Amino acid sequence: MARKDMMKGLMNDTPPSPVARVDAAKPRYGKGAIGAVSRSIEDLKRRSIQEIDARMIDAAGLKDRLDTDDADLAMLMTSIETYGQQVPVLLRVNPNDPERYQIVYGRRRVAALKALGQPIKALIRDLDDKALILAQGQENTARKDLTFIEKANFARQMRDAGYDRKIMGDALAMDKTLISRLLSVADKVPVQLIEAIGSAPNVGRDRWLALADKLGDSDLVTQAVGDTSDVRFNAVMTALKSPKPAPPTKTMLVGGATVTRSATKTVVTLDTKIAAGFDDWLIENLPDIHRDWANQHDD
């Protein structure tokens, strides 16, 4: 009877009874031997390298790089074309779309492989936002190739995102004192100026601290010019050292005349309503006045 009912249901396109869906991202381990095997399989998946279509990978985390060097990316692409991708990137499942992934670290490798049209060799981890930031920061620290200002900018983003000093220290492998120095620069130097200068790989902590202390309210984004970020930093420092021109001064004279003086010129303005005709007289006699002045100074 049951078989007839099942066949009848199939003939009438009646949907089968719903089956509970098991979320693959959250494995349910049983107890005993079955649970141990399930855990072993999941652990193997975590350790295995998978190939992911680059089009399925989104950005995530904080911005750690200030420069996007096309030449460096081209060199990386050439290396990958010659030797293949030697080091996998780290991804997590996109929490907003379980069919996609987000980069934890390895952005440049993903960009290079995407440009080459090649799949991405990646490790997949189940990470929340906090764990993602920690992994990103620790990977950068391990490579030791983030510059001082990139670390400062990274610390500022973490602070603004609500992470406490301990998490910031763990991510950057720094104590609270060094974190405070990073933030003191990031808070005094506007983000727009930091991005205009760039990573400045040959500019260390002391020079960035000097720039931060001298900057004040000066807007020097337009002064950050040059072919490299180090040159742009030096251009900004040079602009800070240049003396500011004194503001123009005004002096009232008799006869409705006003003299405005600056570092480069002097302007005499005559009010013809007060001293009508004085302007004509001055223009007519100006050659004689200048000649008398020149004769006095020649002596």
Side-chain angles (χ1 to χ4, degrees), residues 189-197 221:
V189 183
V191 176
Q192 294 84 353
L193 182 57
I194 290 176
E195 293 179 342
I197 292 174
V221 172

Side-chain angles (χ1 to χ4, degrees), residues 159-185:
R159 191 269 316 278
D160 293 348
Y163 294 100
D164 59 29
R165 294 296 175 92
K166 182 181 185 308
I167 299 298
M168 295 163 63
D170 291 341
L172 291 168
M174 293 182 175
D175 60 30
K176 293 181 178 179
T177 300
L178 291 177
I179 294 293
S180 295
R181 289 178 181 173
L182 291 175
L183 291 175
S184 69
V185 171

